[in-house]
Amino acid sequence: MTKPVLSGAPLSVGMISLGCNKNRVDSETALGLLAEHGYVFTGDPAEADILMVNTCGFIESAKEESIDAIFELAEYKKTGKCRLLVVTGCLAQRYEGALLEEIPEIDLLMGVNQYQELPAAIEKALAAQDASAPRSYCHDDYTYYAHDRVLTTPAYSAYTRIGEGCSNRCTFCAIPLIRGPYRSRPMEDVLAEIEQLARQGVKEHILVAQDTTRFGTDEGGHTTLPELLEKAAAIPGVEWLRVLYCYPDETDDRLLDVIANTPNICKYLDLPIQHVNDTVLRRMHRRGDKADILRCIRGARERGLTLRTSIIVGFPGETEEQFQELLDVLREAEFDRLGAFTYSPEEDTPAARLPEQIPEEIKQERLDRLMTMQQEISLKRNQARIGTVEKVLVTAVDEDGRLLGRSHREAPETDGEILFTLPKGAELPAPGTFVNVRITQADTYDLMGVME
């Protein structure tokens, strides 16, 4: 394919990708499309002919980070080689009009469903004679296009998105407003992508969606995630298969058994419960109830799975008694990993209009109590691993010469790490290889050990 050129050289693209790992997959897909059309890539924004920001618009701090990144890259239109500033992703989809009006430096705006149109849109925008070329390509139509991706993760690890959008309509969340209802990717497309990534040398495959347990439910009936996991685990080269964001109402015994009994599926359940009090869950418009949550926790513990969750404290109307009920369940459940956040009103969501908004100082005080308790639990759970020998994926060597890695109990980016040393005379393992590590120490978040 003929390369797009400027003064005899291929056009170079630089990108900043913000937000979640689903957004990362979008960025990798966009880069893959541009690579197919002959563009080259640079990590130096001053050297890029085209600069892109894939934005996040989930919460206020993410919006601010995205705006800051847009203005930062816009400066290279004055100080660097940049001819075109492209803004994509959730913020572009949600605030199309405002961005075009308030940031004239943006040359091209692409929403979350338009990556297939990106190469042609860039070519039109670069054509100086085409003054009628549109600046915005944001619309709601969604079709999945299979393309090779340019991975931004280490070569041995990759995310695969199995669905787009969300139909849960939680009252605190803007994702359905931005990305629309949930649509599963065809199973054969997901498996083909995993197979291609495995051939490239990817060893750790992480399945993501806003709600992975919705997979297949848009065809009617229950989740087909267990079938997908079984087929994906059977692909040659898939050494670790991890699934994130499983909702309690569709996390049934079939799914738990597949995770527990398939050797190369990580024994790890990410179960974002947000709360446990049934009244609060109804106000959040969460699917399932406390009984579903307790059933999942019990099933995971019976099968020896590592448990992670996320919690919102200070949701409108949350009483001290309801918060205490949450603490009691979390103390009993002993989640290995837990992320907690104070409720933040999000524009255009039903929860932002609810009465009985909790004062910030009360929300923060509750968060502090929860995290103090969880730190004790996490330390206890980590210390219980001292003396065990665990299979560890080597990820890096730190500045002190210690090796870093993770076991099946640690998801990348969200959980702690395993720091370990080599026995005398041992050969230094390369990142992306698996080694056995004996755990010798533990703190609240990380573990330490020695390679065997």
Side-chain angles (χ1 to χ4, degrees):
M1 180 176 292
T2 303
K3 292 182 181 293
V5 296
L6 178 66
S7 303
L11 289 176
S12 60
V13 177
M15 175 183 275
I16 293 176
S17 184
L18 303 172
C20 65
N21 46 47
K22 281 86 71 181
N23 229 31
R24 180 194 287 271
V25 174
D26 284 344
S27 296
E28 294 174 347
T29 301
L31 293 175
L33 278 162
L34 293 175
E36 288 178 12
H37 284 75
Y39 292 87
V40 296
F41 306 113
T42 177
D44 182 357
E47 294 299 316
D49 300 302
I50 301 163
L51 286 169
M52 297 179 59
V53 185
N54 191 6
T55 59
C56 178
F58 183 46
I59 57 175
E60 196 61 37
S61 60
K63 296 176 196 174
E64 292 172 0
E65 183 184 27
S66 294
I67 295 295
D68 289 345
I70 294 169
F71 281 122
E72 177 187 337
L73 292 193
E75 285 299 307
Y76 289 99
K77 299 180 82 172
K78 303 174 186 175
T79 63
K81 296 169 56 180
C82 179
R83 291 186 59 198
L84 204 67
L85 177 60
V86 183
V87 176
T88 71
C90 291
L91 196 75
Q93 183 77 24
R94 192 174 183 192
Y95 298 105
E96 174 188 8
L99 289 172
L100 290 174
E101 181 178 345
E102 296 179 19
I103 311 180
E105 293 90 345
I106 297 173
D107 299 295
L108 196 57
L109 205 65
M110 311 290 295
V112 297
N113 299 317
Q114 289 76 57
Y115 292 101
Q116 183 72 10
E117 303 173 48
L118 182 60
I122 286 176
E123 289 178 20
K124 286 182 180 180
L126 285 171
Q129 70 276 14
D130 189 357
S132 64
R135 287 179 65 202
S136 177
Y137 290 77
C138 297
H139 53 75
D140 295 329
D141 299 335
Y142 171 77
T143 304
Y144 174 74
Y145 297 94
H147 288 283
D148 289 343
R149 288 155 47 194
V150 174
L151 294 183
T152 58
T153 51
Y156 51 80
S157 180
Y159 294 93
T160 293
R161 198 171 67 193
I162 66 173
E164 170 63 301
C166 188
S167 296
N168 293 335
R169 296 283 174 178
C170 298
T171 57
F172 54 81
C173 182
I175 292 298
L177 302 175
I178 300 169
R179 291 187 171 266
Y182 181 81
R183 291 87 79 200
S184 299
R185 280 181 61 188
M187 186 179 295
E188 59 271 20
D189 286 353
V190 175
L191 296 172
E193 180 169 296
I194 294 172
E195 187 173 3
Q196 172 63 28
L197 290 168
R199 285 198 299 267
Q200 292 174 211
V202 174
K203 300 177 181 180
E204 180 187 36
H205 300 257
I206 307 163
L207 305 187
V208 294
Q210 203 64 36
D211 175 358
T212 52
T213 45
R214 279 271 188 180
F215 185 76
T217 60
D218 37 349
E219 299 290 332
H222 290 291
T223 178
T224 55
L225 181 60
E227 290 86 342
L228 175 65
L229 287 173
E230 288 180 316
K231 292 179 179 180
I235 294 173
V238 175
E239 296 200 37
W240 271 1
L241 182 64
R242 189 186 300 275
V243 60
L244 302 180
Y245 318 127
C246 296
Y247 278 54
D249 64 312
E250 288 284 355
T251 301
D252 56 16
D253 285 341
R254 293 181 308 138
L255 178 57
L256 294 174
D257 285 341
V258 168
I259 294 173
N261 298 329
T262 310
N264 58 339
I265 295 180
C266 294
K267 310 300 178 266
Y268 183 100
L269 183 65
D270 186 334
L271 195 73
I273 63 174
Q274 308 305 350
H275 214 281
V276 302
N277 174 267
D278 283 337
T279 299
V280 176
L281 291 171
R282 283 193 297 271
R283 288 166 71 88
M284 289 180 168
H285 198 234
R286 298 288 289 178
R287 290 167 29 225
D289 55 18
K290 181 178 180 179
D292 286 315
I293 293 168
L294 295 179
R295 172 185 53 78
C296 288
I297 293 170
R298 183 170 58 251
R301 286 288 179 231
E302 289 171 351
R303 293 166 175 84
L305 306 185
T306 294
L307 272 170
R308 176 179 179 82
T309 195
S310 58
I311 299 295
I312 295 175
V313 301
F315 190 75
E318 180 192 60
T319 66
E320 175 61 29
E321 291 75 20
Q322 290 165 343
F323 177 69
Q324 189 60 53
E325 181 182 354
L326 172 65
L327 290 184
D328 291 343
V329 170
L330 296 179
R331 186 180 294 109
E332 179 69 22
E334 293 193 344
F335 280 90
D336 302 87
R337 318 275 184 229
L338 184 147
F341 313 89
T342 58
Y343 168 74
S344 175
E346 182 54 40
E347 185 180 5
D348 297 327
T349 60
R353 300 188 294 271
L354 286 175
E356 301 179 82
Q357 297 283 330
I358 306 296
E360 287 299 323
E361 59 270 21
I362 294 178
K363 288 191 283 189
Q364 189 58 52
E365 186 271 339
R366 289 178 183 174
L367 178 66
D368 291 344
R369 284 159 58 194
L370 188 155
M371 292 310 299
T372 298
M373 181 189 76
Q374 180 59 37
Q375 286 167 359
E376 296 174 0
I377 292 170
S378 294
L379 178 61
K380 174 185 172 183
R381 301 291 299 181
N382 278 350
Q383 287 178 334
R385 296 165 63 183
I386 293 175
T388 62
V389 176
E390 303 194 7
K391 180 180 178 180
V392 169
L393 175 63
V394 181
T395 58
V397 179
D398 76 4
E399 56 203 23
D400 297 321
R402 294 177 299 178
L403 289 138
L404 304 178
R406 58 177 175 270
S407 75
H408 72 93
R409 297 176 181 273
E410 289 85 36
E413 302 181 78
T414 56
D415 297 334
E417 297 178 298
I418 298 176
L419 298 83
F420 62 99
T421 56
L422 301 178
K424 188 174 181 180
E427 184 177 344
L428 187 70
T433 57
F434 289 94
V435 298
N436 290 324
V437 173
R438 181 174 295 278
I439 305 300
T440 57
Q441 299 177 62
D443 62 26
T444 302
Y445 301 108
D446 299 320
L447 299 106
M448 286 64 73
V450 180
M451 191 178 87
E452 295 235 307

